[in-house]
Amino acid sequence: NGVRSNLQQKILAAISALEDMPTVDKTRLAALGWCFGGHPIAEFGRIQHPGIRAIASFHGVFDGILDSDNVSSNDDGDDYLPETIKKQQQKDATTIEGETEALICNGLDDPFVSRSALTTCQSIFANANIECTVREFSDVRHGFTNPAQDFNPNPNFQYDDDAASQSWLACRSLLKRAFFFGHPPQH
């Protein structure tokens, strides 16, 4: 149905495990996803965990996701979320305030990322008040960050040094903004 409640629960379990580590500042987390990692990146937008400062996707696949506006029927847009996620959001919202920024890096010739899926992911972020930047690269296919794609016989995959470099620089800039500018660490 386009809503991945099981994936959302796994994401929250992973966040909880990170937050339990004494060296982790739970107000300054990031999520990066490659390929199928696009699915959890979109779900981070739905979950709206207040400790997540940065979300980035590289040639992320967003197939099958639905915009929360097309899923929910109430005013707060979260009736598709499991109760455990709703309770976690309410608990965290009272202790942490912050902003999240997203980056989507995509090759325009990537056959695994449709325009509609990309637009839906952007809409999910917009509905969650997450600022989203999309970097699209001309003549770039799926897997562009992985040099091993040069040995992949499938013509849908190809490494692209320029796109890989530019997308990683954009991600580094995102992480610097999220972690070092305007977001002092919490103790």
Side-chain angles (χ1 to χ4, degrees):
N1 71 359
V3 175
R4 295 179 167 92
S5 300
N6 190 28
L7 178 56
Q8 292 171 351
Q9 290 173 343
K10 289 178 182 180
I11 290 168
L12 286 174
I15 291 171
S16 179
L18 282 173
E19 291 175 336
D20 288 344
M21 299 172 120
T23 58
V24 172
D25 180 346
K26 71 179 187 174
T27 68
R28 294 160 48 107
L29 303 174
L32 308 179
W34 285 259
C35 191
F36 286 118
H39 289 196
I41 293 304
E43 295 307 322
F44 270 105
R46 288 190 173 132
I47 292 170
Q48 300 178 34
H49 187 284
I52 299 294
R53 296 285 182 235
I55 303 169
S57 170
F58 303 88
H59 43 84
V61 177
F62 306 110
D63 63 324
I65 61 173
L66 297 176
D67 187 334
S68 57
D69 284 346
N70 297 328
V71 177
S72 94
S73 60
N74 66 12
D75 290 337
D76 61 9
D78 70 353
D79 57 332
Y80 63 89
L81 290 173
E83 281 302 312
T84 55
I85 293 175
K86 290 181 196 177
K87 288 178 185 173
Q88 182 71 34
Q89 284 179 332
Q90 292 167 355
K91 178 183 136 198
D92 290 340
T94 62
T95 59
I96 306 168
E97 293 182 12
E99 297 176 4
T100 302
E101 189 177 343
L103 171 67
I104 298 173
C105 298
N106 184 54
L108 285 172
D109 288 345
D110 188 335
F112 304 112
V113 183
S114 70
R115 289 280 107 200
S116 64
L118 183 60
T119 300
T120 299
C121 188
Q122 289 175 275
S123 179
I124 288 169
F125 291 146
N127 290 342
N129 295 317
I130 296 172
E131 181 182 335
C132 180
T133 300
V134 178
R135 298 284 311 262
E136 295 191 286
F137 303 99
S138 298
D139 302 318
V140 173
R141 298 181 209 150
H142 193 72
F144 64 83
T145 62
N146 183 353
Q149 296 301 350
D150 282 347
F151 303 101
N152 187 339
N154 186 327
N156 294 314
F157 295 83
Q158 184 181 27
Y159 173 68
D160 187 287
D161 188 58
D162 188 50
S165 296
Q166 286 185 43
S167 63
W168 186 242
L169 285 173
C171 183
R172 287 179 54 189
S173 178
L174 166 68
L175 295 172
K176 284 178 184 177
R177 285 191 308 276
F179 293 142
F180 300 114
F181 304 113
H183 297 290
Q186 301 286 320
H187 298 288

